[in-house]
Amino acid sequence: MAKVPSAVVAAGGLVGGYGVARWTGKRQLGGVVLAVAGAAAAQRWRQQAGGKAAGALTAAYVAAFAGSHPLAKKVGAWPAVFGVAGAVAVASWVVADRQN
């Protein structure tokens, strides 16, 4: 069975984490989704592109999560989440997934 690209895992973690938090009303549960997907993506990034790339992509993932909050005040919550998730997905594909 083919592996799910790390770009999909990372973007899914950002979108899924927000969605779970919003729909359940439990921010901590959304945080769990965000953290689990981030850890899974980081492991894949390390396997595919090495430690330095994994560190940079993990930093981008965390920055995307943090940056979505002020961005949401300007464009709305869902557009902000989809925007940062897309940016992380593109970075992940360029750095790690494209080679495989």
Side-chain angles (χ1 to χ4, degrees), residues 8-94:
V8 174
V9 175
L14 289 162
V15 172
Y18 175 69
V20 167
R22 177 142 185 177
W23 292 319
T24 65
K26 299 186 185 300
R27 294 178 71 186
Q28 298 86 352
L29 190 56
V32 169
V33 172
L34 180 78
V36 168
Q43 181 179 16
R44 296 282 298 284
W45 293 328
R46 189 170 36 261
Q47 291 170 347
Q48 294 174 329
K52 288 182 182 180
L57 288 168
T58 299
Y61 184 81
V62 172
F65 167 70
S68 69
H69 292 82
L71 183 60
K73 292 179 182 179
K74 295 181 181 200
V75 300
W78 280 111
V81 171
F82 284 127
V84 300
V88 169
V90 167
S92 178
W93 182 80
V94 167

